[in-house]
Structure formats: C-alpha cells, structure tokens
Amino acid sequence: MSEVILINVSGADKPGLTSEITGIMAQYGIEILDIGQSVIHDHLTWGILIKIADQQESAPVLKDLLFRMHELELRARFEAIDSEQYRAWVEGKGKARYIVTLLARTITAEQIAKVSGITAQHGLNIDNISRLSGRRGLASGDAQGKACIEFSVRGTPSDLEQLRAEFLRISGELNVDIAFQEDNLFRRNRRLVVFDMDSTLIDAEVIDELAKEAGVGDQVAQITERAMRGEIEFNESFAQRVGLLKGMPESVLETVAARLNLTEGAERLIGTLKSLGYKTAILSGGFTYFAKHLQEKLGIDYVYANELEIVGGAVTGRVTGTIVDGARKAHLLNEIAARENIRKEQVIAVGDGANDLPMLSQAGLGVAFRAKPLVKETARHAISNIGLDGILYLIGFRDRETNNELD
C-alpha cells in the first residue's frame, strides 16, 4: 500500500533548496500531492505532501532527505498521513473560499488576533496569510503610511451577516479596515471602476465650497450633512442647495476648481487602473464643470454629473437635464458596463454618501470610502483608515506590482 508523508522544513533561505530536495525525491519517483513555501526575513518554511508508491519503502528516501537537509542546515519533520486524514483533506477542496483583507496605517498583533479569532468562531480555517503592502522602515509616525495583509480562508460561515457585523465592530475599535470577499474568478478580473466625486475623488464637497464663496456656506453645509446622513432625500436637498447659489458669478467656478485637492491615493489608484486597461467613470451628484476638470487631469473615460445653469454670467440656482441622484448613478453604472461588455461582477463602485448606496449595491465590489456611519453599515466593504489606493489591495494587487519595486 502506498504511503503519504507530510514533510515540514525550516531554516535559512538560500537559492537552490527546492531543487536540492525535490532532486532527491526524483531519484525515487516520488509523486507530489501538495507543496507550499513562504519566506519571512530570509527564513524559509516549506511544506510538501508526498506519495511513495506501493512497491517502495519510505525509509531509504527519508534517510537520504534527512541527511541532505542536515548538510544544508535545515530542520525537518516527517509525519505519516493516514487514509482518513488524506480523505478529509481531499474532500475539503469543495469548501467555499474567502479573502479577508486587513488595511491600516500599521498592522498590530491585536488586530490579527481579533480578526483571526472571529474567523475561527465562524468555522473558517486560515489556509494562507500574505503581506500585500511593501516593506516598512522602523521609523514611526508616517501619516501617509499603509499596511495590508490578507488571509485566505475556507469553510462555510455559521452566520455571514453576524460575521460582517463583528468585523465592522472590530474595525471601529482598532482603526483597521476589514474586507471580506468571496475568492472567485472575478476578484482579480475587475474591468470598470466608477467613482463618486465629492469627498471621494476630491477631499471636499464642491457645493459647500461654492456656497462659501456665495456667502451661504453655513446654510448649504447643514443641508449637505443631512443629505449625506440619509436624513433628507437627495433631490430635495440638491434643489435647496443649488437654489441658494442663485446670482453667484460664473467666475467663482474657476476659483473653486483651482483649489480642490485630490483625495489621498486617488492619483495613484487611477493611474494604476488606467495602465492596466481598466475603464473609469465619475458618477456624481455634483457639477459637470468640476467633473470635467478631473477627467482632463486624471484621464477618466466617462463623466456624468449635473449641469449648473448659467445665464448672463451668473448662476440661476437651477440645473439642466436629468439630476444625477442615487437611482441615476445605479442606472449609469449598468449602462456603462453594458456598453463596455463588462459584467456587473467586474465593476467596482466607490462613494461616501447615502446617494451612493444604490450603485454600491449594483457593483461586484462596492466600497464606502471614508463614509458616514449609515453608509459604512450598509455597504459591503469600507475603507476609512488609509487612502483611496487601498482599493488595489482589495483586488489582490501587491505594492511591488503597482510601484515597480522589489519586495
């Protein structure tokens, strides 16, 4: 009867170790059933599951392996796997797989302990842990730093909604964003990303900035805040705010556009997406003038926003055309995806306000970015602790892949 043996190896990493070990196995015609390796700070951990054929004895090959590993200053452990253990491992291949992503300025042991504890409580087993962010220096206090690790887990969560609720609670307590996604073929195969503009691509609400120039800043800000919290219907709040701008000179638009700043990570995110062939769109309840400004600066493919009516060099307090509200954003997402022959599962939507929830729910990956509590609780995923380029981690990219750096 054939034997199945698990071999665990650890020690200092050096070129050629895999070749050395498997070369010995090759002399005995060994079949490889599974293999995995990780290296942390030049320390190797290597595991291999082998099958020794019926007519062979395990002693000679294990003796040769152990002798050579000793010469290479490696530590090794051999474990016989019985038929029941092996059968359970094979049958486990049908279990659902998920990716749990942790994003923060720094990753702490407490964060990992709490997140891994929650996954275990819900019947999920961790298969692999990987670092996606680049190597960090020892200097502290980097306000723009970011760190990301992801767990590959498998199993069937006992209560998916409760799992997400616990992750959301831990996220707020420990200043870490936690994303929980099904590990399927769409995760690294997104093709379209649609963005809200105000407080998402830029770090301001344009209508608030215009209102300051028009001398009605406090009034408009109060209405904006209520709308973002979902306390007032978007179209009603929008009409009220635009109405307060009546009589404002057209020249103010250029003044405000000149001082708008991109959100942290926005330029890197969109530049990376464009270089990889992604389509991008702005779907904004703000104004076309500013969305077009961003389109030219960032190379956005599609822009849909509200056209501020201007007559005689002054704002009339009205907009022309169809208002881009929450329902309209969701419709436009589907329209662009159909035009580009892209499935909804391949779409990422990003926004911060209640009027973004319809499009977030339509996308394969909906991300609430630095959003209000209501939006964070409703959206499937949220980023609050790092910049917009954290989305690259959610789709599986490593810093070394997007920064052209060595890891």
Side-chain angles (χ1 to χ4, degrees), residues 364-383:
L365 177 63
V367 181
F369 179 69
R370 297 182 181 175
K372 303 296 186 292
L374 170 67
V375 182
K376 286 182 66 174
E377 292 169 9
T378 307
R380 304 290 280 183
H381 309 283
I383 293 179

Side-chain angles (χ1 to χ4, degrees), residues 290-350:
F290 302 95
K292 292 286 187 182
H293 177 76
L294 286 179
Q295 180 180 35
E296 183 176 343
K297 183 174 185 177
L298 297 173
I300 302 290
D301 296 295
Y302 295 93
V303 163
Y304 292 92
N306 297 303
E307 193 66 48
L308 197 58
E309 185 180 68
I310 297 174
V311 176
V315 173
T316 67
R318 297 186 297 272
V319 295
T320 61
T322 304
I323 292 178
V324 179
D325 58 7
R328 178 70 173 154
K329 289 184 178 186
H331 173 79
L332 289 167
L333 179 152
N334 286 291
E335 183 180 286
I336 296 169
R339 187 182 310 170
E340 295 288 346
N341 196 29
I342 293 171
R343 294 178 54 152
K344 285 198 295 185
E345 294 91 340
Q346 296 176 281
V347 179
I348 302 171
V350 191

